Each structure stands twice: as structure tokens, then as C-alpha cells.
Amino acid sequence: MRLDLPSGNNGVATITLDSPKTRNALSLDILNQLKTAIAEVEEHVKTSVVIIQANSKDTGVFCSGHNLKEVIQTRKDRDAQQLLFRTCSELMSSITHSPKAVICKVDGLATAAGCQLVASCDLAVASDRSTFGTPGVNIGLFCSTPAVPIVRAVGQKRALQMLLTGDLVDAETAERWGLISFSVGKGEIDAAVDTLAQKVALKSSTAIAMGKAGFYDQLSDDLDQAYLKASDVMVENMMEYDAGEGISAFLEKRAPVWSTAER
Amino acid sequence: MRLDLPSGNNGVATITLDSPKTRNALSLDILNQLKTAIAEVEEHVKTSVVIIQANSKDTGVFCSGHNLKEVIQTRKDRDAQQLLFRTCSELMSSITHSPKAVICKVDGLATAAGCQLVASCDLAVASDRSTFGTPGVNIGLFCSTPAVPIVRAVGQKRALQMLLTGDLVDAETAERWGLISFSVGKGEIDAAVDTLAQKVALKSSTAIAMGKAGFYDQLSDDLDQAYLKASDVMVENMMEYDAGEGISAFLEKRAPVWSTAER
Amino acid sequence: MRLDLPSGNNGVATITLDSPKTRNALSLDILNQLKTAIAEVEEHVKTSVVIIQANSKDTGVFCSGHNLKEVIQTRKDRDAQQLLFRTCSELMSSITHSPKAVICKVDGLATAAGCQLVASCDLAVASDRSTFGTPGVNIGLFCSTPAVPIVRAVGQKRALQMLLTGDLVDAETAERWGLISFSVGKGEIDAAVDTLAQKVALKSSTAIAMGKAGFYDQLSDDLDQAYLKASDVMVENMMEYDAGEGISAFLEKRAPVWSTAER
């Protein structure tokens, strides 16, 4: 795993899974490295967007989920298993709770916790050779934690189809179901993700941080409770410098200069 | 803003945004007028369906959201901002809680709180020149309140794509994502909305009022709690005159005469 | 109604609605028979998959919902109505809570509680002559209980379109909206459902039982609460024989032999 903080002023950090020999499996060590990387990015003021990608060029594997050789060694050790799955859940949850916009760049196979990683990011772009699945059911281990963000992305019938059959779905289907934001041709993924990341990085990082937190916070509330929370977020957002600057710039037909400029 | 109660017996009221010069912006004054109109319709027994539409013929703008010139004047006044966003949330929520079926008729651009208005209606029909977006992020003010009904319509990945990029989506995409019920050709929207409104207006307004309230009430409950509530709604609905009349008419192969007939 | 427990070792039970003369209506008697059948299957260790199907060959009706002739007889009897709708809700809920994977096989019209039955199954396959609807609104009785699983499958705008108009949607639309898993040509439904049932029946029934229960249990939770539950399910699943066998078999590139083998 490798973390690259923004080079220059583009505001885009990159986290790269780089264990092609183990199909970029999420061992406990890698999960902890990822958690640390997400936390480090969170503290980095100059970063407003994070891309999570993988070295999949030669293998065609984005991420195959947990490292089964590691898992089987401690299979009957409840504490070890609990540590593993809690750490994984904490990582995935930390992506959701991160104040940065997180984009998943998928070019290959994403299965089990690898598919969970895709579903957990705010945005996801995949090349058309990518496939997605939750095949845990094939090895007697239902993908229960991957199901958490996947069903929230694709809905019940599609999630259960993936979970009960273990079948892979292609990128076009994943886009249609809402598991990813969109798919592009294999040769276009670098440009597509760069364009998307740059577009989001040009926004006010204050607005994104406040908005993203508010967005996830109200998802499971009933409508009126959600509105109470969201109204408060709007008011606090309005008190920020960037809202004043952004609205003024819009009315004056000029580009805004955010509070994080000159970074 | 203009409210037209049903002319004759068709049971369809119409609320028209009519400030094309301000792109039908939702100023505090307009928000309050809309709230009053929704409340007035609620009391009007002869109305069973409300169409919310806009004068967008010449501008191509259905509704551009809040009035930014107004917003910026009181930007640092927390009380004023709270009043504005709470009033907006109350309006949107009152559409959901209205006992009438509310249809949004969109022919043009619907952004920010304008897009929220579309998402908040029970049904929405749009012409194919319509576009939808939450561009608040471009001006440092994340569309947190619009996100509330939008994510409930289109799901997480699509909502975040709209919210983080500020990009517009076209009517075909909005239909595919579930933001609107369906899109039609530009020349067909009047007929399509009239047909839909008339179809719904022919139903029992008692059944719609009870059913709509029950529908929204159980959305964020777990399945068993939702069933407890919904079963009770069915039983109470069954006690109503219209259920007896409707079932009898069906079994006797005749048209039902609802309790609100002769209105 | 007819229950066929697995013949031989294929692990697939079948429940068949067989009242074509009453359009396979869900009378109180049939609802109770179905509840009993689901409970019986639950106790049957050799079963891991249940197909719910209907005799619709000549009528083209999968299930038309409640038996209106029965309903009207006790319309003003609140206790009788409560018994009917609670029993129906209990049946639908028992499908969700069943430890077996439940597949709905639809070849014809599925309306009201019949459509609810489709939405309540974990997976659903329909022939392309099938249609789906919630026409209760046409008879003054809003489909409030069918709405519970339908909105959880298709989302708000689509559910309200069905509920407020009473219109039927075809199988292709039902697939696109997520009401069913997929649709197939009329001549292919037997083979498609058999293939799907056999595929799921080959999985570990322990993993399916634990995973399915965990899946539904976390649906209405917020993300962090959902992850706490799902992590615990993963750990408990890992303690089971089938997880050890499945992972070992995968690493050894051989077929797993589940704990329920030799059944």
C-alpha cells in the first residue's frame, strides 16, 4: 500500500493497493495501513480529494477481499476474527466519515471486501473490464460486512442476487445498479478519474466536508428528523467564509477564491 | 406564485411558480406563499390532486432554488438563515405530508431547492429539455437540504455524484435513476401531466390520503414495525365507505361512486 | 396450495399456489397454509432453497392478491380484517425471516398482495408475459401492506407511481426497477429458475441462513450500527464448520463438502 499526498497544488491524494502477488488482498496489516492512510489524509489540509486505486495492470485484480491464507490460520480464534472484521469495518466506515471526497478507481476484479471498498467510496469509476461480486457464499462465508454498503448502493433484490449466487456482475450492470458512479472504456479510465478528481478538487473543501458529513448523518433518519439535521448543516455552512465568497463570486460572475487557496 | 383550485369537477388544483425574471427562485416570501397554498389545498375537499408547475416557457428554467441575492444579504445572520432553511424544509415536508397526490410538472432547469422540489413530490413528469442538479457545491454551499429527498429517490452513489460534482443530469437519466417518474417529449408534457392527474383524480381521495400518509410513515422503519403500521392502515382503510363501495363495484363490474362524488 | 419437499438430494422445496379458479387469491385459509408451509420448510434440514410458484398456465394469473369476495363479507368487522391483514403480514415477514433462500417464480399477473409476495422473496424470476401492479387504489383500498416490501425494492418514486396510478408494469420494467431479479422469455422460465435454485442449493445452507438473517437485520440501521452487527455475523459464521471447509477447499482447489452433505 502506498499513500501519495498531493504533488503541487492539485489537492488530490492517492492511495494505491500494491500487492499484486496476493491479488491486493486486505490482510490485517494492509487494513491497518489503509486506516492510517485515510487518517493521515484527513489531517492534510491541502488534500480535498482522495483516489483509492490498485496495481492491477498485469493481474486484472483490483482487490480480492480478505487474505484467506491469513484468515484460515486463526479461524477458530474468536478474538482474532473479531479484530480482523472490526478493523475492516472501521476502515470502510472511516472512508464514509472522512471529510475528503473519496473516489474509487477500479480496473479489474473487485470481490468480497474488495467490492465493499468500491461500495464504500463516495464515487467510483470503473473500466469496462472490471467485475464485481460477493462470492463468500461459495466458501461457506457469507459476505455479511460487504453487504452493508452494497445493499445501501444497489437495493435489496440486486444485493441478494449477488450475495446468494456469488455471481460476478460486469461494469455496465454495476453502473446501472448504482454500485459504481459510471464505467468507461479500458483506455479512458486514467483520464476519466483525473477529470473527475480535478473537478471535485476545485470545489470548496469546507463545503464538501460539511456536506458529506451531513449527507451520511441523515441517511437512516425519517424525513422530518433528516430535515432538522440538514437545515442546521445549511445554516452552519452559510456561516463559513467559502459560502459568502462562493455566492458573491457567482453574483459577480467571477471565479471564487476559497479559504484554502494559496495552499 | 399562483394557486388555481379545481375548475369544475375535475379535482385537480394547480400551483404555478410565476417569477420567470428571478428564474422562479424560492425567496422566503415565495416559500411562505407555497406553504400557504399547500395548506389551502389540503383543506379543499374537492381537490384530490395538485400539480406544481412553473412558468418556464421563455426562460427554460423551472426553478433555480433559493434567491441568492436575498440569501447573501443576511448571510451572517444565523436567525435569518435558520428561518429560511427551516421554512424551505417545512414546505418540502408539507408536500410529503399532504393528503393530496402531488405531481411535479417540470419543463426546464431544476436546480438546488428547485431539484429538491421535484424530488419531494409524489410523482414527477419532465419534458426532455429538463435538467436537474445540485450545484451548491460550486458556490461553497453544499446542497444539504436538497440531498434529503434526492438521496431517498436516487440512492447514494447517484446522489453523491450530483452533490459532489454539481453536474446537471438530463431527463432520461433522471428517469432511469428514479428522480422523476418519467420523461416525455417537449410537446407532450401538457397532455402527459393532464392524463396522469386525471387518472389519479378518479381514485378515492380517502384511500389516497390514508395510503399516502401510511406510505411515508413506514419508510424508515424496520420491516416488522412497518408491517404493524401498514396493517393498521389497511384495517382503517377497510372501515371507510369508499373501500366497501370500491370492492362492491369491482365485484359487480360497475364504476364506483366515491363518498366525495356530487362535489 | 401444495408443498413439495425436496425429491432426492437436490435441496429445493416447492410451494405452489394452485387455485386458478380464484386467480390464486390469498384467502385467509391459503395465507395460513402458506405460513405453515414456510414453517415446515424452515424445519426441514435437507431443504436450502424454496421456490414459490403458481399454477398460472391457463389463466395467466400468478396471484391476484386478497380474495375480495371473502374480504367484503367481513368488511366492517375490525377484528376479522385485522386478523386477515396481520396474517398476511406475518406470512410475508416469515419469508424474509426464513433461513432458506426463497425464489419467486412468476409467470403471469401479480397484483396487490400477489405483487407483495414477489417483492417479499429474496430472489424473483419472471417470464416476459408477467405484469405487476398495486391496483388497490382503483377499489378504494390503497395497497398499504404491499407497499412495504415494494418500496424497499424499487424506491419511492416508482412505488408511488404504482400505488397512485394502479397501472401495471411489465417484466422488463420490473427488472429495471429491482422489483424482480431478472426476466426471461416465456419458454425459458422453468430452466432459468431450476438453474438458479440449483446454484444456490449448492452453497452452504449454514452460511445462507446466517447471512440472510444478518442481511435483513441491519437494513434499517445506520452504517456504524449495521457494521457492528455484520461484523459479529462474520465472526460467528467463521466459527462454523462450513467456513473452515469452504476456505480450505478453495485454497486446496477442490470442491467443498458441507456439513449437511450425505443428507
Side-chain angles (χ1 to χ4, degrees), chain B residues 54-73:
Chain B
N55 177 347
S56 59
K57 216 180 76 171
D58 298 333
T59 60
V61 179
F62 168 77
C63 176
S64 60
H66 290 286
N67 184 323
L68 293 179
K69 285 180 188 164
E70 182 188 76
V71 163
I72 196 76
Q73 280 166 28

Side-chain angles (χ1 to χ4, degrees), chain B residues 199 203 218 224 236 238, chain C residues 75 78 93 138 152 167:
Chain B
K199 180 185 284 180
K203 321 289 185 189
Q218 55 77 45
D224 290 340
E236 293 313 312
M238 193 64 90
Chain C
R75 187 181 73 80
R78 185 172 256 112
S93 184
N138 293 332
R152 283 161 175 75
D167 288 349

Side-chain angles (χ1 to χ4, degrees), chain A residues 219-233:
Chain A
L219 280 180
S220 60
D221 290 319
D222 68 35
L223 191 75
D224 291 339
Q225 176 64 16
Y227 267 133
L228 279 179
K229 286 183 181 177
S231 296
D232 284 351
V233 173

Side-chain angles (χ1 to χ4, degrees), chain B residues 18 24 46 71 98 153 179 189 210 218 235 244 250 256:
Chain B
D18 194 15
N24 294 314
K46 290 185 184 174
V71 163
S98 169
L179 180 59
I189 183 139
M210 299 182 81
Q218 55 77 45
V235 172
F250 177 79

